[in-house]
Amino acid sequence: MPAFIVHLIHTLFPKTVLFPDILLIDLGLVVGGIGLFIFMTKTHRWGWLWREWLTTVDHKRIAVLYLIAAIVMLFRGGIDAEMIRAQLALPGTHFMPAIQYDEVFTTHGTIMIFFMGMPFIFALFNAVVPLMIGARDVAFPRINAMSYWLFACGAILFNISFIIGGSPDAGWTAYPPYTGLAFNPGPGENYYFLALIIAGIGTTMTGINFLVTTVRMRAPGMTLMRMPLFIWSAMVTSALVLFAFPPLTVALAMSLFDRLFGSSFFTLGHGGMPMMYVNLFWLFGHPEVYILVIPLFGVFSEVVATFSKKQLFGYPIMVASILAIMFLSYGTWVHHFFTMGAGPGVNVFFGLSTMLIAIPTGVKIFNWIFTMWGGRIQFTVAMLYQLAFIPTFVIGGATGVMLAAVPADYQFHNSYFVIAHFHNVIIGGTLFGLLSGLYYWWPKMFGSKLNEKQGRVAFWLFFIGFWVTFSPQYLLGLKGMTRRLYTYPAGLGWHELNVISTVGALIMGAGFVALVFNIVWTLVYGERDLTGDPWDGRTLEWSLPSPVPEYNFARVPVVHARDAWWDMKQKGQSLAQLSPEDVHDIEMPRNTPVPFLLGVAFFVVGFALTFKWWPIAGIGLAGVFAIIIFSGFDYEDHHHLKAEVVRKTEASLGRLQG
Amino acid sequence: MSFKGLRKPYRSLALAAVAAGVVSTGCGQQYVVLHPVGPVGEQELHLMILAAIAMAVVIVAVFTLYFYAVARFRDKPGNAAPYRPEWHGHKLLETLWWIIPVVLLTVIAIPTVQVTYALDRLPKGKNPVVIDVTSLTWKWLFEYPGQHIATVNYLEIPTGKPVLFELTANSPMNTLWIPQLGGMEYTMPNRVLPLWLQADKPGMYWGDSGQYSGTGFEKMFFKVKAVSPKAFAVWASKTHATATPLTLASYHQLLKHDTMGQALYGSYPKDTFPSIASGFTLNGQGMYMTMHGPHGSIKYLPMSATQK
Ligand code: HEM
Ligand SMILES: [Cu+2]
């Protein structure tokens, strides 16, 4: 064999990717890939895939793409979690080698936050925001598709690391100097930095897109104070994204420079300043945790009103508190490293600012409870998640405040107490919120309700599993167990609690299986919802048929009240009564391969830089620029949907008069 | 799903939590954070308890309202509770729940500020034992400049005296944590951070690194033996007299990326610990000082003094 091929094989397949379980997965991927290829070819689906999905710019389809990615990533991250718990169940175990354990907790955290949470949120934004504000698409449909493909490129790049070259192993926070070449020579951290930079570009563009969409694209009459809270949350989240991702990108790029070009921003020697990275990272990181939860505050605000059959309580306060959180969340980052010796003045400032942010967060809880007060609560699955969210999130917030008491945090920091805290808020807030939104809007996205019975099973498994997993971890923290520990000695009294925690993780795993079963079952046997408004909803998306036609609104609605659709229903109006003269030609964005190709080009850049294949990276970069320039001169980016076609579609849905 | 179904799991949850507590109270001492043996850990614990109580008030208030609402306002035929679909605000109530958290947080905030400042000063009038800590990959090097000895992965300290740890790293970051003495602090390359702790009871405690630093990181546990000042002095001079010295060559051996057990050294070479680095002092003089001075009597000088 020529030497360079041998070298290539050694680079791409070092020992750390040759563990037996990974080889088994390799085999599965190859077999599955071949199977899929044959299936697609036999059923002639390649053209369909290309036309309907890979080149689409329709926000509703992009939502589906995000959703699929998020659920696949929930699976991957979940498997990582089960592996972590298996390793930790008993003292002194060697369920897997230390190096693999380090990779697994790193990929678990990174995937759950960047490749599960974020895309799931964007799935909901894409699926709902334009419909809720009476728009026909987002402000920049093509950029929206680009965002998706950049995210997908980052996700794939990150995910192939464990079969090609080796995974990153420095934790989701990737603190230097451990990420430096001196300690971390493999390609793993390159994957991490590049994947997050590329996906981060996509995320930033999504932020801009939804900021502009919510500011500029609302239907006539929908003033700021008439926006549904989900729209407020989308707007604020987008603003947070816009200002939080730049520091992350900078921190990642500087780390990458240290690794690829031998600079010394954060290295051990040459005056490197690792703490600078930590500051930049958390300057992003704390707003990020609010990026991960504010959208779900929006979801819960919609869900609780709909299923309490009552207006949201204290709307102006809800808006004010979201805005307060937005501003304050940029001023709390040091609470992630009180123990880095910034001195008492700095620590006190950030301790107090952290307590301050708990106030608007807490106020929202009362408003949700009082929305139920005097209502009529329906226990749908979406509502169950809301009901589980309130107590769970309150406890997570309370332990957060304990962490904000600076000297106490000296004892909590880096212990399992912190792990329990953030899972308490991230699972209780983010995951429960995402699932609530999924059950709530599924009929709008796919035209049938998710089976409620199965949904309840999944819900209880998740809910009970969550508490069984994480309440012992608070106690473990008090017993001195630190995070990211590969294994621990017997005799510290840690093992019973760890066993309980692992049992809980298995219950949550069963919850995931039930969820997927629920989804697949519904896709196959689900009953079509013909009303378009199965929950007796309050906001505009429920005025449309499900699934929604390509152009969303045949006629753009005029909004007169906060819960626009509820108001229309009260007045006996209906968007279904459309007269033919109201329908005009509609300008729609045209499908384009540009976003997909941009993703491919970025993938080439990312993959080549990971292995320092400069010429190939150069080619990829040239591709990126060529595609962007081409896109800039591509004026054929829209087409006109003829009024005739729209009328026909509406008539077939029984929505046209005469 | 009825409300009964909803409530039970909460109940079983509470039970599970209590059970988990009981199972392990037999060995309650293993809740190291809850059983501090020195003033630092004690003050941190007091703050923790205060915060927990204040938060318990919030939790009880919210849970009461929540369960009441969920029980009362269910959508079932014949529910006699008032139905007010247009009720969307109440000035007094809304003001009230801005005030409640503000009050509770103030209760936590004031002692937080006090204790933060208090713990940032070495107690006056007591000469601390200085220990220079360097985290290595994956081991701890402890140098006692006053006693001219060094240890690896083992600490012996006198009781009733503050111990001033000066922390640095010749490795990725770690944190030095001895839970029964008090909270942790980072070790970072190119910086020296101070942390003071104290053991009031003689005994065997343990310490660990809290910050992940690579594949051998779980081997960074170490024993901490607190003995009377007299016994400490005896141990130190015996170690100084009998243990092999740490040479520069053996120091470089320590820099290798591996794990090891305990070791004692009768002396150690100069310059293995930075004599000039940026960091904070514990004497309330604030921003950055450089350390300077003969071993054992570290003196802090303001940055400006060294620049002249
Ligand atoms: C009441 C509001 C909250 C307060 C006062 C609070 C406070 C804190 C503090 C002080 C820490 C640092 C602890 C340490 O590392 O020593 C922390 C960690 C964390 N919090 Fe919160 N938090 C709150 C809400 C949230 C929310 C809503 C989320 C996300 C949805 C969140 C996610 C996290 C995460 C992910 C970490 C740890 C990150 C890491 O070290 O890997 N927190 N929180
Ligand atoms: Cu934070």
Side-chain angles (χ1 to χ4, degrees), chain A residues 61-73:
Chain A
R61 284 174 183 257
I62 291 175
V64 175
L65 291 173
Y66 271 121
L67 186 63
I68 293 170
I71 290 177
V72 172
M73 287 297 96

Side-chain angles (χ1 to χ4, degrees), chain A residues 282 285-287 289-290 329 332-336 354 421:
Chain A
W282 288 114
H286 190 80
V289 308
Y290 277 96
S329 69
T332 66
W333 78 93
V334 171
H335 68 213
H336 293 278
T354 306
H421 155 69

Side-chain angles (χ1 to χ4, degrees), chain A residues 102 169 272 275 309 311 314 317 339 341 344 355 373-374 376-378 387 391 410-411 413-414 467 478 493, chain B residues 10 13 30 33 66 68 73 75 81 83-86 88 94 120 177 179 183-186 190-191 210-212:
Chain A
D102 298 343
D169 66 348
M275 196 176 160
K309 300 279 145 251
Q311 267 193 43
I317 297 281
T339 52
M355 291 183 192
W373 204 281
R376 282 290 177 270
I377 304 170
Q378 299 171 329
L387 291 174
Y410 273 58
Q411 286 282 36
H413 184 58
N414 272 346
W467 279 106
L478 298 177
Chain B
Y10 280 112
L13 265 179
Q30 289 175 332
V33 171
Y66 166 84
Y68 182 79
F73 300 103
D75 185 25
Y83 175 47
R84 293 192 284 165
E86 302 301 324
H88 59 78
E94 289 174 64
D120 216 66
W177 192 26
M184 64 180 72
E185 182 93 15
Y186 276 84
N190 309 332
R191 301 200 66 180
Q211 175 67 29
Y212 165 75

Side-chain angles (χ1 to χ4, degrees), chain A residues 330-362:
Chain A
Y330 289 110
T332 66
W333 78 93
V334 171
H335 68 213
H336 293 278
F337 49 98
F338 283 141
T339 52
M340 274 193 190
V346 173
N347 279 357
V348 159
F349 177 91
F350 283 92
L352 296 184
S353 71
T354 306
M355 291 183 192
L356 209 58
I357 204 173
I359 296 171
T361 313

Side-chain angles (χ1 to χ4, degrees), chain A residues 113 172-173 175 282 285-286 288-290 292-293 297 335-339 354-355 357-359 361-362 393 396-405 409-410 412-415 418-419 421-423 425-427 429-430 483-484:
Chain A
I113 288 188
W172 85 275
T173 48
Y175 280 10
W282 288 114
H286 190 80
E288 169 70 11
V289 308
Y290 277 96
L292 282 174
V293 82
F297 287 173
H335 68 213
H336 293 278
F337 49 98
F338 283 141
T339 52
T354 306
M355 291 183 192
I357 204 173
I359 296 171
T361 313
F393 193 79
T399 55
V401 171
M402 293 175 71
L403 296 173
D409 183 65
Y410 273 58
F412 290 138
H413 184 58
N414 272 346
S415 78
V418 172
I419 305 286
H421 155 69
F422 72 72
H423 285 91
V425 275
I426 288 201
I427 294 182
T430 309
R483 67 194 296 191
R484 295 174 178 164

Side-chain angles (χ1 to χ4, degrees), chain B residues 63-306:
Chain B
F63 277 38
T64 311
L65 291 172
Y66 166 84
F67 279 114
Y68 182 79
V70 176
R72 182 115 191 271
F73 300 103
R74 278 183 292 157
D75 185 25
K76 56 160 197 231
N79 188 344
Y83 175 47
R84 293 192 284 165
E86 302 301 324
W87 190 49
H88 59 78
H90 189 290
K91 287 251 153 54
L92 186 71
L93 282 177
E94 289 174 64
T95 319
L96 192 67
W97 56 66
W98 283 92
I99 293 175
I100 297 172
V102 171
V103 170
L104 286 167
L105 287 171
T106 313
V107 169
I108 305 175
I110 292 170
T112 295
V113 174
Q114 286 169 338
V115 178
T116 305
Y117 276 99
L119 289 184
D120 216 66
R121 297 266 178 110
L122 273 165
K124 282 212 182 77
K126 285 189 177 178
N127 244 344
V129 177
V130 176
I131 301 181
D132 288 340
V133 180
T134 311
S135 70
L136 304 172
T137 321
W138 297 286
K139 54 194 90 72
W140 294 98
L141 175 63
F142 301 109
E143 298 172 345
Y144 293 67
Q147 287 70 25
H148 308 287
I149 55 172
T151 62
V152 167
N153 293 340
Y154 177 76
L155 267 180
E156 192 148 332
I157 56 172
T159 52
K161 257 190 171 192
V163 180
L164 173 59
F165 293 99
E166 300 184 310
L167 305 162
T168 193
N170 205 344
S171 69
M173 293 185 205
N174 283 283
T175 68
L176 180 85
W177 192 26
I178 308 167
Q180 283 194 277
L181 304 192
M184 64 180 72
E185 182 93 15
Y186 276 84
T187 64
M188 278 186 263
N190 309 332
R191 301 200 66 180
V192 177
L193 300 180
L195 171 74
W196 78 272
L197 298 169
Q198 179 174 325
D200 286 338
K201 270 191 258 171
M204 204 53 146
Y205 311 111
W206 58 267
D208 186 17
S209 168
Q211 175 67 29
Y212 165 75
S213 58
T215 44
F217 146 80
E218 85 281 1
K219 298 273 167 49
M220 291 180 77
F221 282 96
F222 58 92
K223 287 263 182 291
V224 182
K225 189 173 177 188
V227 297
S228 70
K230 236 189 234 150
F232 173 74
V234 171
W235 170 79
S237 54
K238 198 181 121 203
T239 305
H240 185 51
T242 58
T244 50
L246 177 71
T247 60
L248 219 47
S250 45
Y251 178 77
H252 283 288
Q253 286 292 315
L254 291 181
L255 288 181
K256 280 204 180 140
H257 297 188
D258 56 12
T259 62
M260 66 180 270
Q262 301 175 0
L264 299 180
Y265 302 102
S267 65
Y268 62 91
K270 265 176 80 173
D271 304 332
T272 48
F273 195 81
S275 62
I276 295 187
S278 62
F280 261 87
T281 69
L282 290 179
N283 53 8
Q285 287 174 22
M287 208 45 175
Y288 216 63
M289 316 265 146
T290 45
M291 299 182 348
H292 218 279
H295 281 306
S297 62
I298 302 280
K299 234 174 38 195
Y300 295 98
L301 297 176
M303 223 28 158
S304 51
T306 51

